[in-house]
């Protein structure tokens, strides 16, 4: 049986700041050696050359080591950073750590569990094709097993980080006589994310194994629990599976839903309710009362260039890439729902939720005593 989970969201005061992680450890909320995953937003450009992800990664690992964790084990902790805090999105990190069972609240109700795995090495010529789908799917199954999840329906969120294509890796493939799906490095971000999402969907039985020709082209196939990011900092798929299991105990529970489009606030509320939080018929962010730890969303500009029947210019804008525009839009919608701009909103949602929308996962605190989520009041 996996151990219970403690999860907290902390702000990043600068791009290289991990002081709030240090404070959690100093205050005894979690132990450095028990941190098993970090998922966060940094304030870079969110593109291929967004090195704020590497800066933040280093800062968090350095704190874990300084606080007593084994450096070798720290190097294996999945730390997934999504770059780009466009609009009101606030830089932050959600930190997952195990708890000794005797320190956790005891309950037989489903509670949060987390599993992690790394895929086999991904070659540049495999990105966008069946070998990548198969390797990701295999890693998802391993992560599920480590989380103590046997039923795919108990998986509510799968966060991944995978390699994209760079000039260097494209050159490497060519030197070995191989072809790559695209030589557009920015396009390869969508490609890597979308292909990874299909691997998740296959592992969880959401779809059958797709044909290579369907990757990025058939948007009717998708995973409703995937959140896929890509970057230059690794050559494998990092896979973090988050779900619920009975018997693990703890305060937290996760649920999910999907946004059908960029304005679908109801999709966010549905995920929060699916996590087990009781809310009125027409909820307001003040009803959350610190019970929401965080929400995790993917978003994508609709391929038809419309939202609610109205035309927009995101896909035609040559000045500001649509990645940044849709992220800002959905970030604003999310903050208006939760009352907290520190929400994980990530772009490039190919095969992640319906076209023009995206998956939503929500972690809530159902424990006794003071809730551990964010609660803002006007001064």
């Amino acid at each position: 049986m996996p151990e219970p989970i403690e999860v907290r969201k902390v702000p990043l005061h600068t791009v290289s700041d991990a002081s709030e992680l240090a404070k959690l450890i100093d205050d005894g909320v979690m132990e450095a050696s028990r941190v098993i995953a970090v998922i966060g937003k940094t304030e870079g450009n969110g593109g291929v050359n967004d090195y704020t992800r590497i800066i933040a990664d280093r800062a968090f690992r350095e704190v874990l080591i300084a606080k007593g964790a084994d450096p070798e084990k720290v190097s294996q902790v999945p730390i997934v950073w999504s770059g780009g805090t466009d609009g009101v999105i606030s830089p932050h990190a959600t930190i997952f750590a195990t708890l000794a069972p005797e320190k956790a609240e005891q309950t037989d109700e489903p509670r949060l569990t987390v599993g992690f795995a790394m895929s086999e090495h991904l070659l540049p010529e495999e990105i966008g094709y069946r070998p990548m789908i198969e390797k990701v799917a295999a890693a998802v199954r391993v992560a599920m097993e480590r989380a103590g999840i046997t039923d795919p329906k108990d998986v509510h969120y799968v966060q991944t980080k995978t390699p994209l294509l760079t000039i260097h890796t494209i050159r490497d493939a060519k030197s070995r006589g191989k072809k790559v799906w695209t030589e557009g490095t920015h396009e390869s971000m969508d490609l890597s994310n979308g292909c990874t999402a299909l691997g998740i969907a296959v592992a969880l039985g959401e779809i059958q194994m797709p044909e290579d020709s369907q990757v990025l082209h058939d948007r009717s196939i998708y995973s409703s629990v995937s959140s896929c990011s890509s970057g230059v900092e690794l050559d494998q798929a990092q896979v973090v599976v988050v779900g619920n299991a009975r018997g693990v105990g703890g305060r937290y529970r996760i649920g999910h839903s999907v946004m059908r489009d960029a304005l679908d606030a109801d999709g966010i509320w549905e995920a929060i309710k699916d996590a087990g939080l009781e809310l009125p018929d027409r909820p307001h962010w003040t009803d959350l009362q610190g019970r929401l730890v965080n929400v995790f969303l993917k978003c994508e500009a609709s391929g038809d260039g419309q939202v609610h029947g109205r035309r927009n210019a995101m896909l035609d804008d040559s000045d500001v890439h649509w990645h940044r525009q849709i992220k800002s839009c959905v970030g604003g919608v999310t903050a208006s729902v939760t009352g907290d701009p520190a929400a994980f909103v990530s772009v490039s949602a190919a095969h992640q939720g319906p076209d023009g929308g995206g998956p939503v996962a929500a972690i809530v605190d159902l424990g006794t005593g003071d809730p551990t989520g964010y609660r803002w009041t006007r001064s």
Side-chain angles (χ1 to χ4, degrees):
M1 178 65 68
E3 293 182 300
I5 299 295
E6 181 63 44
V7 56
R8 297 294 178 97
K9 180 171 65 178
V10 298
L12 271 61
H13 301 297
T14 69
V15 70
S16 60
D17 172 57
S19 62
E20 297 290 347
L21 167 61
K23 188 174 186 297
L24 286 176
I25 297 169
D26 291 341
D27 291 346
V29 175
M30 54 182 61
E31 299 175 29
S33 60
R34 285 183 170 272
V35 172
I36 57 171
V38 178
I39 299 171
K41 291 293 300 182
T42 67
E43 59 208 80
N45 61 23
V48 175
N49 65 334
D50 184 353
Y51 297 105
T52 65
R53 298 183 295 237
I54 297 175
I55 295 170
D57 183 278
R58 180 178 299 170
F60 270 64
R61 294 187 196 276
E62 287 175 351
V63 163
L64 292 176
I65 293 170
K67 296 298 181 181
D70 183 312
E72 179 61 29
K73 291 182 179 179
V74 169
S75 69
Q76 300 302 310
V77 173
I79 301 183
V80 179
W81 296 105
S82 170
T85 51
D86 303 84
V88 300
I89 300 172
S90 185
H92 69 279
T94 304
I95 304 157
F96 299 82
T98 60
L99 275 179
E102 64 272 14
K103 293 184 178 180
E105 291 191 17
Q106 303 303 306
T107 177
D108 290 328
E109 291 298 309
R111 288 295 184 265
L112 191 72
T113 182
V114 178
F116 165 68
M118 295 287 286
S119 77
E120 293 182 29
H121 178 71
L122 289 166
L123 298 171
E125 62 266 26
E126 293 176 332
I127 296 175
Y129 296 105
R130 182 166 179 163
M132 183 178 189
I133 296 173
E134 292 173 337
K135 289 181 179 181
V136 169
V140 170
R141 295 185 185 105
V142 171
M144 279 181 61
E145 182 178 358
R146 291 174 177 172
I149 297 174
T150 57
D151 187 345
K153 293 181 180 178
D154 290 326
V155 175
H156 294 274
Y157 177 49
V158 182
Q159 177 65 58
T160 63
K161 191 77 175 186
T162 51
L164 44 70
L165 293 170
T166 66
I167 296 300
H168 172 74
T169 57
I170 292 170
R171 188 185 305 121
D172 170 64
K174 287 183 174 181
S175 72
R176 293 181 286 105
K178 305 295 183 179
K179 293 182 179 180
V180 292
W181 199 96
T182 178
E183 294 190 25
T185 56
H186 201 278
E187 182 186 22
S188 77
M189 180 183 298
D190 296 331
L191 175 66
S192 181
N193 291 356
C195 194
T196 301
L198 293 176
I200 295 167
V202 168
L204 300 181
E206 295 179 284
I207 63 170
Q208 298 298 313
M209 178 63 71
E211 301 292 332
D212 284 345
S213 60
Q214 292 178 283
V215 177
L216 284 198
H217 296 299
D218 182 357
R219 297 303 181 96
S220 69
I221 55 172
Y222 61 80
S223 169
S224 60
V225 298
S226 59
S227 177
C228 306
S229 294
S230 52
V232 298
E233 60 266 43
L234 71 170
D235 58 9
Q236 296 169 276
Q238 285 184 345
V239 178
V240 181
V241 167
V242 188
N244 297 314
R246 291 186 181 275
V248 296
R251 302 177 61 94
Y252 305 99
R253 185 168 170 173
I254 187 169
H256 80 277
S257 185
V258 295
M259 291 181 76
R260 296 292 170 185
D261 55 59
L263 301 180
D264 184 17
D266 288 341
I268 303 173
W269 285 118
E270 287 166 6
I272 296 170
K273 292 177 181 178
D274 187 58
L277 204 59
E278 294 185 6
L279 294 167
D281 290 338
R282 293 178 62 84
H284 184 262
W285 61 264
T286 53
D287 296 315
L288 296 171
Q289 295 293 307
R291 291 288 173 185
L292 178 66
V293 177
N294 205 4
V295 287
F296 305 84
L297 303 91
K298 291 294 292 189
C299 58
E300 181 96 346
S302 179
D304 64 6
Q306 298 183 61
V307 176
H308 285 198
R310 295 290 196 180
R311 180 178 69 91
N312 63 71
M314 282 189 287
L315 296 176
D316 292 322
D317 195 329
S318 298
D319 296 314
V320 181
H321 195 276
W322 66 263
H323 276 193
R324 310 201 71 163
Q325 297 190 47
I326 192 65
K327 191 190 310 176
S328 179
C329 169
V330 174
V333 171
T334 304
S336 73
V337 168
T338 66
D340 185 1
F344 186 89
V345 180
S346 177
V347 76
S348 188
H351 301 299
Q352 298 155 75
D355 184 40
V360 187
I363 296 175
V364 302
D365 180 354
L366 299 178
T368 60
D370 292 335
T372 57
Y374 182 72
R375 179 161 33 182
W376 179 78
T377 56
R378 291 184 176 87
S379 57

